[in-house]
């Protein structure tokens, strides 16, 4: 039995930095079976304790080892609404794989890689169509079509509820389509999930900003919804409030990625162009910063520099994302913090003034606090700058919902998603703050069960 994981086949870094095709190519059947055979089928299943939705991991892996991939898929699908998505974007290294006993002496089993293989196999081979269940006559509105909203909608639709999803943007999927780039998560995979929901009878209304285009009370009164789930996310960008942040060519990562992912800004004839062949500076050290930097490279940037105020060791980004970014040519500048963006003669950003930092005592997050080094200012020329320093709650839906919010504007909800308004449930990033796809899905699932129980009592199942 091999001590390490079967490596994931990848596109060559030089080739992939010039295209938007998926970086990781997925296991072959033989690699998947070989990897599954590394699992010890542990009785106490430590890996399951690390999975936020408690997928029956050793059971699905045993089916992969037997070559029964459809049975493996059905085991995963019992607990996860979006296996092809999670197999690609879940941070398994800090979840299920971090608990795997094979990881104590050697490398953990490649649980995420196997999940992705099984989901892709099912999508390529299964001809079974979702069957629309008979209506139970109860109507539920879902606000936001990210992983929490899609999961909540799917679970309720399978139980016979008439569900309508309202989405502010013109395409359903939330961060899965407007944030995470194509080279990590192809849009076709998300679209397949959305199409599956439509086949179950879920209606999806795009271009509707609830709280602006229509209020929640109007939805309830005019459309007859008995319950509302809010999964509106945490996509409001934070700003640094430094001079020059509003210059042309300075984008928040949210705007930069939305323009490119959703509005085809990489095309010559796009109405929302992002400049090509330029020097790009990205501020931040999380996964969003990595996505922005790697996207900029693929747009043909001459150079991409990632400016981070701590060191690589403290970066919140997944190790694999940082590794991929560096392999592709992103230059990482540690221990620097921006002071000001300055314009050139054309009015566009031309440079960012930075100062050097050093690490001081640990702060509330446990990481060593960056401290300014006096007199260390210097300039970095750039034609495009992207700031990825965090996000806040999306405000419109929650402000219109008559629910209690915490001091940061996030909705207060219990573990079933219940809010202070008995007709409103909430889950995902709008409750927890920016988190992960799997946690948002888990919240959507809990809320769907709670809504069903409230509307139909003991008949909910
Ligand atoms: P979202 O996915 O944010 O969806 C909310 C939806 O609600 C959006 O479509 C929004 O347009 C809509 N909406 C908001 N307000 C309204 C309104 N008033 N009316 C109607 N619709 C509204 N997590 C991972 O696990 N792995 C990763 O690799 C990963 N990478 C990421 C990369 C980026 C660039 C970003 C930004 C996030 C990433 N995340 C990742 C985090 C993850 O995507 C989120 O935690 C998750 O999508 C949250 O799901 P959600 O359903 O709560 O909200
Ligand atoms: Fe298999 Fe690792 Fe889970 Fe044990 S902990 S059952 S080896 S995946």
């Amino acid at each position: 039995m091999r001590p390490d994981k079967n490596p994931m086949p990848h596109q060559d870094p030089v080739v992939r930095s010039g295209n938007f095709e998926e970086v990781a190519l997925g296991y072959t059947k033989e690699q998947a079976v070989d990897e599954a055979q590394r699992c010890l089928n542990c009785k106490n299943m430590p890996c399951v304790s690390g999975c936020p939705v408690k997928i029956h991991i050793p059971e699905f892996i045993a089916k992969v080892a037997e070559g029964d991939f459809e049975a493996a898929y059905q085991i995963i699908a019992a607990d996860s609404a979006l296996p092809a998505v999670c197999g690609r974007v879940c941070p398994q290294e800090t979840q299920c794989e971090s608990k795997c006993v094979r990881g104590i002496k050697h490398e953990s089993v490649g649980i995420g890689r196997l999940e992705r293989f099984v989901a892709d196999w099912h999508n390529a081979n299964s001809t079974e169509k979702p069957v629309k269940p008979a209506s139970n006559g109860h109507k539920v509105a879902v606000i936001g079509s990210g992983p929490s909203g899609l999961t909540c909608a799917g679970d309720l639709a399978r139980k016979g509820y008439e569900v309508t999803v309202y989405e502010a943007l013109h395409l359903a999927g939330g961060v899965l389509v407007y944030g995470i780039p194509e080279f990590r998560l192809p849009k076709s995979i998300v679209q397949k999930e959305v199409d599956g929901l439509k086949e179950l009878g879920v209606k999806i209304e795009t271009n509707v900003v609830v709280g602006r285009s229509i209020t929640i009370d109007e939805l309830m009164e005019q459309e007859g919804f008995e319950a509302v789930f809010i999964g509106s996310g945490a996509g409001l960008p934070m700003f640094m409030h430094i001079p020059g942040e509003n210059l042309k060519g300075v984008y928040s990562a949210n705007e930069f990625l939305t323009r490119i992912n959703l509005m085809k800004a990489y095309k010559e004839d796009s109405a929302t162009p992002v400049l090509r062949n330029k020097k790009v500076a990205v501020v931040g050290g999380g996964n969003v910063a990595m996505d922005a930097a790697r996207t900029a490279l693929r747009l043909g940037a001459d150079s991409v520099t990632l400016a981070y105020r701590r060191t690589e060791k403290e970066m919140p980004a997944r190790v694999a994302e940082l590794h991929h970014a560096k392999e592709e040519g992103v230059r990482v500048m540690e221990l620097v913090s921006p002071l000001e963006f300055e314009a050139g003669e054309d009015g566009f950003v031309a440079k960012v003034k930075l100062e050097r930092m050093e690490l001081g005592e640990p702060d509330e997050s446990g990481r060593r606090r960056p401290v300014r080094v006096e007199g260390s200012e210097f300039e970095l020329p750039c034609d495009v700058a992207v700031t990825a320093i965090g996000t806040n709650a999306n405000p419109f839906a929650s402000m219109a919902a008559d629910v209690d919010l915490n001091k940061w504007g996030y909705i207060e909800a219990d573990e079933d998603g219940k809010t202070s308004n008995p007709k409103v449930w909430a889950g995902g990033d709008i409750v927890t703050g920016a988190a992960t796809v799997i946690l948002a899905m888990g919240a959507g699932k809990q809320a769907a069960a709670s809504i069903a129980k409230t509307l139909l009592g003991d008949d909910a199942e």
Side-chain angles (χ1 to χ4, degrees):
M1 199 186 288
R2 58 184 300 158
D4 57 344
K5 286 180 199 174
N6 278 270
M8 174 61 103
H10 282 106
Q11 267 199 80
D12 180 82
V14 176
V15 176
R16 73 184 191 232
S17 62
N19 69 49
F20 276 86
E21 306 290 314
E22 224 181 334
V23 169
L25 302 174
Y27 277 166
T28 61
K29 235 194 279 187
E30 292 69 29
Q31 286 169 317
V33 171
D34 190 54
E35 185 61 26
Q37 286 169 347
R38 295 185 59 233
C39 174
L40 304 171
N41 210 344
C42 311
K43 271 213 177 74
N44 56 347
M45 303 183 289
C47 48
V48 179
S49 72
C51 171
V53 295
K54 304 283 174 266
I55 291 175
H56 293 205
I57 293 167
E59 284 174 40
F60 102 72
I61 293 182
K63 290 294 173 196
V64 178
E66 286 169 25
D68 190 347
F69 307 134
E70 183 56 27
Y73 177 82
Q74 294 305 335
I75 293 169
I76 300 174
D79 297 298
S80 166
L82 307 167
V85 173
C86 293
R88 286 171 166 79
V89 304
C90 268
Q92 291 97 5
E93 68 280 9
T94 55
Q95 299 180 347
C96 52
E97 292 182 14
S98 74
K99 310 275 180 195
C100 175
V101 295
R102 296 246 30 202
I104 298 171
K105 281 204 178 145
H106 303 291
E107 270 191 353
S108 69
V109 174
I111 302 170
R113 295 172 185 184
L114 288 173
E115 181 182 21
R116 171 189 162 141
F117 168 80
V118 166
D120 287 357
W121 189 91
H122 170 85
N123 284 343
N125 294 287
S126 168
T127 48
E128 226 173 277
K129 290 265 174 208
V131 181
K132 184 178 167 184
S135 165
N136 64 15
H138 292 277
K139 292 180 75 175
V140 179
V142 169
I143 299 167
S145 65
S148 67
L150 293 181
T151 305
C152 184
D155 277 18
L156 286 169
R158 274 180 220 100
K159 292 180 174 155
Y161 289 82
E162 292 178 27
V163 184
T164 306
V165 177
Y166 294 92
E167 167 54 50
L169 296 172
H170 64 274
L171 210 65
V175 170
L176 306 182
V177 293
Y178 81 72
I180 303 180
E182 178 80 15
F183 56 86
R184 283 210 295 126
L185 178 62
K187 311 266 168 291
S188 56
I189 287 175
V190 184
Q191 192 55 48
K192 198 168 165 65
E193 303 294 348
V194 173
D195 291 345
L197 290 187
K198 287 186 185 160
E199 284 169 33
L200 279 175
V202 174
K203 288 189 201 138
I204 301 192
E205 304 271 353
T206 52
N207 297 315
V208 183
V209 183
V210 175
R212 281 286 185 273
S213 322
I214 187 163
T215 66
I216 289 188
D217 285 345
E218 282 167 347
L219 276 182
M220 295 282 209
E221 283 157 22
Q222 294 170 13
E223 308 291 335
F225 293 112
E226 296 157 79
V228 174
F229 172 79
I230 302 180
S232 50
L236 191 70
M238 284 183 190
F239 292 97
M240 287 180 287
H241 304 292
I242 59 174
E245 212 171 1
N246 291 325
L247 283 175
K248 283 181 275 186
V250 181
Y251 303 91
S252 69
N254 185 296
E255 179 188 355
F256 182 75
L257 290 170
T258 305
R259 279 180 185 235
I260 291 157
N261 282 328
L262 218 53
M263 297 169 178
K264 312 252 182 307
Y266 52 89
K267 292 193 167 171
E268 297 294 346
D269 58 353
S270 163
T272 60
V274 166
L275 305 171
R276 289 159 162 257
N277 306 318
K278 302 284 178 180
K279 290 188 270 307
V280 178
V282 178
V283 179
N287 288 316
V288 180
M290 297 301 151
D291 280 345
R294 297 174 71 198
T295 297
L297 270 184
R298 285 161 172 80
L299 288 185
D302 286 345
S303 67
V304 179
T305 306
L306 196 87
Y308 181 55
R309 61 197 187 128
R310 293 184 166 99
T311 71
E312 279 185 19
K313 222 170 84 199
E314 289 83 26
M315 272 187 183
R318 290 178 77 178
V319 173
E321 297 306 320
L322 174 63
H323 173 72
H324 280 151
K326 286 167 71 173
E327 246 185 4
E328 289 165 10
V330 172
R331 169 183 172 221
V332 177
M333 200 181 261
E334 301 174 313
L335 291 167
V336 290
S337 180
L339 290 169
E340 180 176 2
F341 296 102
E342 287 180 26
E345 280 174 10
D346 57 3
F348 277 78
V349 67
K351 55 188 164 192
V352 50
K353 193 188 276 178
L354 298 148
E355 67 180 340
R356 301 214 181 267
M357 313 295 277
E358 57 191 14
L359 292 181
E361 293 303 308
D363 62 13
E364 327 66 71
S365 73
R367 294 176 302 169
R368 290 177 65 193
R369 189 190 301 273
V371 182
R372 301 176 53 203
V373 177
E374 289 296 334
S376 64
E377 291 88 1
F378 67 101
E379 288 173 350
L380 177 72
C382 66
D383 310 288
V384 170
V386 183
T387 60
I389 57 159
T391 54
N392 281 318
N394 280 341
F396 295 138
S398 32
M399 280 163 65
D402 191 21
V403 291
D404 288 347
L405 306 179
N406 67 19
K407 64 178 175 182
W408 297 282
Y410 293 100
I411 298 179
E412 293 199 334
D414 69 11
E415 59 182 24
D416 286 335
K418 285 183 176 163
T419 68
S420 56
N421 181 334
K423 292 192 169 173
V424 178
W425 280 253
D429 284 4
I430 190 61
V431 171
T432 55
T436 60
V437 171
I438 191 81
L439 286 172
M441 274 174 43
K445 206 171 180 59
Q446 288 284 111
S450 172
I451 291 171
K453 196 149 193 256
T454 303
L455 296 188
L456 275 180
D458 290 335
D459 296 333
E461 297 303 319

